[in-house]
Amino acid sequence: MTAPTDRDLLVRAMRGDNDAFGELVTRYQTGVFNVCYRILHERGEAEDLAQETFMRAYNRLEQFDLEREFGPWVRRVAANLCLNHLESRRVSAPLDDERDADQSQRPEKQVEVKERSEQIRGALASLPAQYRVVVELRHYQEMSYDEIASELKIPLSDVKSHLFRARKLLAEKLHAPD
Amino acid sequence: MHLTDDQLNEYLDNESAERAQIDLHLASCSECAARLTALQTLFAELDSLPELELTHSLAARFTRDVNLTPQLPRWLTLTASLQAVLALITLIVAAPFVANLLPAIETPSLTVMLIQLQAQWTTWLDVLSTLQLPQFPQLPPLEISSLMLTLTLAGASVLWLVGNGLLLRKQIK
């Protein structure tokens, strides 16, 4: 038996089938959590925001356009929620000491990857909130400049300046000579 | 004249309207080519960031807490089925008593009923043509012992109440 499509699950969820919505959450929770974690860099907050993202999606099911794809939409909701969260917080929280792990690699290689991943996450977390979200939407959600401008309701020129400055800052942090 | 940072960024993002000119410049300018490579390295590093796993599933909350139509426990489903069976048995047991009382009502054969219906129809047509309401025949009085009727209804009601009380117990809490 083939697995139900997202659209099938959405239709069932709209009719009140919570198990169908639960299945959608299972499919997209890792992606949504990683959006939140890349922006917030704190596991507890990222999990809370990921949960809130799905709560928002659940409460807006009635208005959801079935012609849209659920995955990209819910990840954009997550990015927006994280941006609002950061802007309301306005204080940089201590960074999480989460370590990226890939058990399939040799121990010394694992350490190397973990350290580099941690540096990248640290560099991302040091960016201003707007920059982080623009990087997330461009690099991880693969949205165009116009789509980002529309999603964040900011001018196209701001999208470009945020993105290019963010990259410049990241490069300075990551490629600086020791 | 070198390429600007904006030009290089737009070029790598596939958002540049001047790709041909940039390609031409990059082919002849090692400095700009090196800047492009550095930017590409940053892109690759961002892409290489591994996805982390959640420590717990977020789906459970939607299938448990938010569930507006929770699955009934097995014992409750069995109770509801038992209730339906008991109500059916009550009806079967009560049926002979009710049947004993039915002869008091005269039930004519089908042919007689059809003839009567036809006659009635003719009468109604006549009445309609004169716009007068027809006279309905008086039904024979139904003679059912009030005690028997009360007991049957009370038994069925008790079963209905107990069954539904059990079903709604969770919501009442």
Side-chain angles (χ1 to χ4, degrees):
Chain A
M1 201 173 80
T2 54
T5 62
D6 287 357
R7 190 190 162 91
D8 293 339
L9 292 171
L10 280 164
V11 170
R12 280 169 50 195
M14 284 171 177
R15 291 177 186 155
D17 182 347
N18 291 316
D19 286 340
F21 191 76
E23 174 62 27
L24 280 170
V25 175
T26 303
R27 284 183 189 182
Y28 293 105
Q29 61 184 356
T30 304
V32 167
F33 164 68
N34 276 278
V35 168
C36 298
Y37 189 72
R38 279 190 295 265
I39 297 173
L40 302 172
H41 202 239
E42 203 283 312
R43 178 174 274 279
E45 273 187 330
E47 289 186 346
D48 287 348
L49 267 287
Q51 185 80 73
E52 196 179 328
T53 299
F54 286 113
M55 286 300 292
R56 292 254 175 134
Y58 181 85
N59 292 328
R60 290 181 193 169
L61 267 183
E62 291 295 318
Q63 296 114 52
F64 185 77
D65 178 4
L66 285 169
E67 299 306 313
R68 299 180 74 177
E69 283 191 66
F70 183 75
W73 175 74
V74 78
R75 285 193 289 268
R76 288 176 198 190
V77 172
N80 261 315
L81 266 180
C82 290
L83 176 61
N84 293 339
H85 178 75
L86 286 173
E87 287 186 333
S88 67
R89 197 173 58 179
R90 289 280 178 199
V91 181
S92 57
L95 300 182
D96 202 348
D97 60 354
E98 180 82 31
R99 292 286 186 271
D100 297 275
D102 181 355
Q103 302 303 325
S104 65
Q105 293 173 319
R106 286 178 292 114
E108 58 270 34
K109 180 72 179 170
Q110 276 181 32
V111 173
E112 200 180 301
V113 168
K114 278 179 194 174
E115 282 179 357
R116 191 57 179 162
S117 297
E118 193 56 27
Q119 284 170 351
I120 297 168
R121 290 190 194 282
L124 280 170
S126 70
L127 296 174
Q130 282 272 2
Y131 290 14
R132 283 189 232 181
V133 175
V134 171
V135 168
E136 171 65 35
L137 295 179
R138 175 63 211 150
H139 281 270
Y140 299 99
Q141 306 311 319
E142 297 176 349
M143 290 167 69
S144 69
Y145 295 170
D146 285 330
E147 286 172 328
I148 297 170
S150 167
E151 184 66 32
L152 299 180
K153 298 180 180 62
I154 57 175
L156 185 64
S157 56
D158 284 4
V159 172
K160 289 185 189 182
S161 66
H162 290 349
L163 185 61
F164 303 164
R165 282 181 200 163
R167 285 171 178 164
K168 199 173 175 65
L169 288 170
L170 287 173
E172 283 169 11
K173 285 180 188 296
L174 295 171
H175 303 156
D178 295 327
Chain B
M1 185 80 175
H2 292 297
L3 296 171
T4 64
D5 284 345
D6 287 11
Q7 283 176 308
L8 288 174
N9 275 283
E10 287 174 8
Y11 177 81
L12 280 184
D13 284 328
N14 291 317
E15 298 262 3
S16 175
E18 46 187 11
R19 288 193 73 82
Q21 295 99 301
I22 293 174
D23 280 332
L24 207 62
H25 179 86
L26 287 170
S28 60
C29 179
S30 58
E31 194 179 325
C32 286
R35 284 166 58 217
L36 184 77
T37 305
L39 201 52
Q40 280 173 321
T41 306
L42 177 68
F43 278 37
E45 281 182 312
L46 289 173
D47 289 344
S48 73
L49 210 53
E51 292 242 302
L52 295 178
E53 291 300 318
L54 277 158
T55 51
H56 64 278
S57 173
L58 303 177
R61 179 149 184 209
F62 293 92
T63 48
R64 271 192 254 126
D65 298 352
V66 187
N67 212 333
L68 301 175
T69 52
Q71 289 283 321
L72 291 173
R74 190 173 164 75
W75 68 268
L76 208 53
T77 313
L78 286 172
T79 307
S81 306
L82 189 65
Q83 176 198 10
V85 170
L86 285 174
L88 192 65
I89 291 170
T90 308
L91 279 175
I92 292 167
V93 170
F97 297 103
V98 177
N100 281 339
L101 300 168
L102 281 179
I105 308 167
E106 285 182 17
T107 51
S109 71
L110 185 64
T111 316
V112 174
M113 280 175 71
L114 285 172
I115 291 167
Q116 283 177 344
L117 192 65
Q118 190 184 28
Q120 195 66 54
W121 178 245
T122 315
T123 313
W124 283 347
L125 283 178
D126 290 344
V127 170
L128 276 175
S129 64
T130 56
L131 291 173
Q132 285 180 345
L133 287 172
Q135 285 289 317
F136 288 101
Q138 281 252 322
L139 288 172
L142 190 61
E143 291 175 10
I144 301 173
S145 153
S146 58
L147 178 66
M148 191 60 66
L149 192 63
T150 308
L151 284 175
T152 307
L153 287 173
S157 301
V158 166
L159 283 172
W160 184 84
L161 283 170
V162 169
N164 283 290
L166 286 170
L167 286 169
L168 294 171
R169 200 175 66 161
K170 195 174 177 183
Q171 277 82 346
I172 292 165
K173 274 182 184 176

